[in-house]
Amino acid sequence: MARPDIAAAYRHCRQRARSHYENFPVASRLLPRKLRDPVAAIYCYARDADDLADEDSRPVEARRADLQAMQEHVRALDDPAAETAPEWIALADAKKRFDLPVEPFVDLADAFIQDLEKTRYADIGEVMEYCRRSANPVGRLILHLQGDPDDAMLGQSDAICTALQLINFYQDLHQDIRENDRIYLPQDEMARYGVTEVMLRERLNTLPLQNLMQFQYARADRLLRAGAPLGGTLRGRLGLEIRAIVNGGARVLWRLRQENDAFARPRLGARDMAVVLWHSLRPRRRGRGS
């Protein structure tokens, strides 16, 4: 069996990671050099699973089968030489070199399988359980790249990743219901604030919706604050990356809170990024809008 070109496989993953717009750093230059390649490989796995759930036009049964096949593939993943696709070559190498656990990969695909069928969430408990599988595995895998994280570090990572997932939901209120008939806002909280699905579907920027979203923003902010100490616990460039992610999420939340339109999707510009980097290089207790 021919030896795979692992360097080329990682280069392919890095290019894919850079080509997709994100509000938060993905395998950025803030990361230690040794972690950029495996983070890009993890990103490609998550992106492929996400695309099967949201971008593939085939019937649900075919997409579910492919996601389940991804789960089985990653369970058996061991030898880069046994793979042909660059994404799998890179992931096999990363999994083997860093002794990555398989459960986070399986959980990620499981969340996207759920996306194929579940479109409403009764309460925040259901939303948080979804985030546990759709977002938290990525943070846990990055911590495992660095070493053997303890429970406190894993908990803080989970809080950050859940907050970022919620922020993404808040920015895609109309897109999620228009394109995939999904609503990630808890149904009981929508009812409590008098928000209807019609408001989301027709982009009706009502006062009840604005009030509901301010409540949601405050929840995400609490989660970011709960996870923020991780950026001080981790030393060096990884700690800097975590601080940049937390501050980036905080900046997006700040912009969302300033908007009069609940359907606004702010993107961070050069000035925002400068603020994020400044606060990340100078760690301090984070205040609102910092």
Side-chain angles (χ1 to χ4, degrees), residues 78-244:
D78 179 55
D79 183 6
E83 305 300 327
T84 56
E87 291 84 357
W88 287 106
I89 292 171
L91 192 62
D93 181 74
K95 185 170 178 279
K96 188 173 184 178
R97 281 199 297 125
F98 292 90
D99 192 25
L100 296 176
V102 71
E103 292 82 3
F105 294 105
V106 174
D107 283 345
L108 274 170
D110 195 55
F112 297 121
I113 290 171
Q114 177 174 310
D115 269 337
L116 296 175
E117 297 173 344
K118 187 174 178 65
T119 60
R120 302 293 185 273
Y121 290 80
D123 52 39
I124 189 58
E126 287 193 355
V127 176
M128 297 291 277
E129 172 58 22
Y130 174 79
C131 293
R132 182 187 69 78
R133 288 173 291 126
S134 69
N136 298 0
V138 174
R140 287 180 169 240
L141 286 167
I142 291 173
L143 288 182
H144 280 289
L145 291 174
Q146 179 72 3
D148 188 19
D150 60 30
D151 288 343
M153 295 166 65
L154 290 170
Q156 289 165 349
S157 173
D158 287 349
I160 293 169
C161 291
T162 293
L164 299 181
Q165 178 73 90
L166 293 176
I167 292 167
N168 280 336
F169 292 159
Y170 304 156
Q171 296 180 96
D172 293 336
L173 293 179
H174 180 64
Q175 180 179 343
D176 281 337
I177 193 170
R178 184 192 71 224
E179 296 182 358
N180 298 298
D181 191 36
R182 293 194 201 119
I183 299 176
Y184 292 104
L185 296 174
Q187 296 286 291
D188 60 344
E189 294 175 0
M190 287 176 61
R192 187 186 315 151
Y193 279 85
V195 172
T196 67
E197 292 192 10
V198 171
M199 294 177 189
L200 303 180
R201 198 177 298 277
E202 298 186 6
R203 293 182 64 101
L204 301 179
N205 185 42
T206 63
L207 183 59
L209 178 58
Q210 292 176 17
N211 290 337
L212 171 63
M213 295 315 300
Q214 291 296 329
F215 177 76
Q216 304 298 318
Y217 302 153
R219 171 182 285 137
D221 184 73
R222 290 193 298 272
L223 284 165
L224 276 180
R225 291 173 184 276
L230 182 63
T233 300
L234 295 171
R235 300 301 178 187
R237 295 176 73 95
L238 183 57
L240 175 60
E241 170 84 349
I242 298 301
R243 294 195 298 274

